[in-house]
Amino acid sequence: MLFRRVVIIALPVMLLQPAMASIELTDNIQLSGFGSTAISKTDNQTPLFISREITDETCYDCDTVFGLQLDIDVVEGLTASGQVVKRTQDKWSDPELEWAYLAYEYNDFEIKAGRLRLPLFLASEYYYVGQAYPWARPPQEVYDSILGFTSYDGLSMAWHYELSDGLQLTVSPYYGFERLNEVELGAVKLEFDTEYMAGLYIDLVGFNYRIHSGFMQAKYQQRPSPNTEKLDIYTLGAEYSYGAWQWMAEVEVDRIQANWYASMIYAFDDFSPYITYGESHQSRKSKGVTTGVRYDATSRISLNLEYQMIFSVEEGNRGQFVTSPLAYAESSDVDLVTFSINFVF
């Protein structure tokens, strides 16, 4: 189940771990859900962030996510899982099937087949579950770097090995078959006809830390161009907690861009203030600072108040915008205020 996996993956290192829940429909069928919504506003007309497009008009739906997940224990070792999500870019009438797969576990091995989540980043597995991470939204310098693509259709195999007491290693290769991926950049729709995606991730999880490294190669055509291209993506992330403190950092590199962030969180009582610094280079050029505080109202509901400043390194460069701010005769710098609510059930 999604929330059981979040606990297993994140509990050793997440200071802000929410209580996970589910509804037992039968002895072997469980339903769970999650959601986030926010009031967000910038001081710039240029749409900010792919799939969210936040502007200087107060937006009540730019960050809205709602998901339902059904998990079925078919027989011993064999499970089925499906997750439907109304993502930030979706209409309520047209949600996305984010994953739907069969999984089989035997000893230390696990095989999955179907629609699966791309395992590139620390928060990839629970990217849409705002209750599972400290910020109002994951740092977009890294999490926007692959144009919002989060899933693939294919196969994965994972090997889980306990190196010592409290230290587990996971090695997981995966392969995605041909699929048409679409992304909207303002009024422009980009279409990527992906021939395959192939990759590997390695996780090292200790009592109070996690190190995640990933590699993915994609072969694709960007329509209507007939040319076939390859893109190799490398990622590395780490999170570490000590007492009330938590630190997180990730980097993503490919031939088009290089992006990274580092974040520090301090938890006391029900409040968790945080600060994040991020940079993007090459095709996107920006630096950003985010300060905020999370409040855990209950074990299943949290609120975030966040202020973000993003500075352009090169005038007119897209940076974290959907398009160049020159198209709106606007500044390349932007301030963003967000108040969000997250929940799980």
Side-chain angles (χ1 to χ4, degrees):
M1 296 183 299
L2 166 67
F3 297 134
R4 184 169 61 192
R5 279 195 296 271
V6 173
V7 172
I8 292 172
I9 294 173
L11 184 58
V13 289
M14 290 297 293
L15 300 177
L16 307 171
Q17 182 63 41
M20 299 307 176
S22 61
I23 302 169
E24 291 192 5
L25 302 180
T26 69
D27 290 341
N28 64 332
I29 301 177
Q30 294 186 330
L31 177 69
S32 52
F34 54 89
S36 299
T37 191
I39 302 171
S40 47
K41 187 180 189 298
T42 73
D43 60 352
N44 196 306
Q45 296 182 68
T46 315
L48 182 69
F49 301 146
I50 295 171
S51 303
R52 300 176 191 266
E53 300 192 10
I54 306 168
T55 67
D56 58 355
E57 295 184 6
T58 302
C59 185
Y60 299 91
D61 192 44
C62 295
D63 289 286
T64 299
V65 172
F66 182 76
L68 290 173
Q69 181 169 317
L70 193 68
D71 294 281
I72 304 172
D73 293 324
V74 183
V75 295
E76 185 177 356
L78 181 65
T79 59
S81 182
Q83 185 186 99
V84 177
V85 182
K86 184 276 175 197
R87 305 169 301 171
T88 56
Q89 65 265 44
D90 297 328
K91 297 179 180 179
W92 283 98
S93 59
D94 189 27
E96 181 74 6
L97 182 64
E98 262 297 302
W99 73 37
Y101 62 80
L102 288 172
Y104 180 71
E105 292 186 40
Y106 180 75
N107 293 335
D108 296 330
F109 293 91
E110 181 180 22
I111 298 173
K112 294 180 182 179
R115 177 159 295 182
L116 304 165
R117 185 66 49 81
L118 279 172
L120 285 172
F121 307 116
L122 285 172
S124 288
E125 186 78 3
Y126 48 94
Y127 174 72
Y128 291 109
V129 187
Q131 182 77 342
Y133 44 75
W135 324 281
R137 63 185 70 83
Q140 297 297 287
E141 289 86 358
V142 168
Y143 285 84
D144 242 4
S145 61
I146 56 173
L147 300 179
F149 299 141
T150 55
S151 64
Y152 68 97
D153 298 334
L155 306 165
S156 74
M157 184 179 72
W159 174 54
H160 308 286
Y161 182 72
E162 190 171 330
L163 295 173
S164 63
D165 290 341
L167 184 59
Q168 179 171 293
L169 173 70
T170 297
V171 180
S172 179
Y174 59 94
Y175 185 89
F177 303 109
E178 184 175 2
R179 180 178 172 185
L180 179 63
N181 292 293
E182 298 178 341
V183 60
E184 293 185 4
L185 295 180
V188 178
K189 177 180 285 189
L190 302 180
E191 294 185 338
F192 297 89
D193 189 357
T194 305
E195 183 176 325
Y196 69 82
M197 291 179 175
L200 172 77
Y201 81 83
I202 300 173
D203 252 4
L204 186 64
V205 179
F207 174 72
N208 63 339
Y209 67 90
R210 176 186 173 205
I211 300 173
H212 178 89
S213 60
F215 166 76
M216 185 185 76
Q217 180 181 91
K219 185 177 181 181
Y220 65 93
Q221 289 180 324
Q222 184 177 342
R223 295 182 176 180
S225 172
N227 298 327
T228 299
E229 299 186 53
K230 283 186 180 180
L231 184 65
D232 293 343
I233 299 173
Y234 302 87
T235 62
L236 179 63
E239 50 188 337
Y240 174 78
S241 64
Y242 181 77
W245 292 94
Q246 181 185 7
W247 294 269
M248 299 179 69
E250 291 186 83
V251 60
E252 182 275 342
V253 177
D254 58 58
R255 61 176 170 79
I256 301 172
Q257 60 190 331
N259 311 281
W260 68 273
Y261 77 86
S263 188
M264 180 173 63
I265 306 102
Y266 180 78
F268 66 94
D269 295 329
D270 296 323
F271 292 90
S272 300
Y274 54 88
I275 184 169
T276 303
Y277 178 81
E279 292 187 2
S280 291
H281 298 274
Q282 294 175 250
S283 64
R284 298 187 300 162
K285 299 179 181 180
S286 71
K287 298 178 179 180
V289 178
T290 303
T291 58
V293 61
R294 167 172 163 151
Y295 171 65
D296 287 286
T298 73
S299 60
R300 302 181 187 178
I301 301 173
S302 65
L303 298 87
N304 284 73
L305 181 61
E306 192 173 277
Y307 177 65
Q308 186 170 5
M309 298 178 292
I310 302 174
F311 308 98
S312 174
V313 177
E314 181 180 273
E315 190 70 22
N317 183 268
R318 179 172 76 83
Q320 306 309 316
F321 292 110
V322 172
T323 187
S324 169
L326 294 180
Y328 292 81
E330 278 278 11
S331 167
S332 296
D333 299 335
V334 60
D335 293 347
L336 167 64
V337 177
T338 303
F339 174 71
S340 66
I341 301 174
N342 312 291
F343 60 89
V344 295
F345 64 88

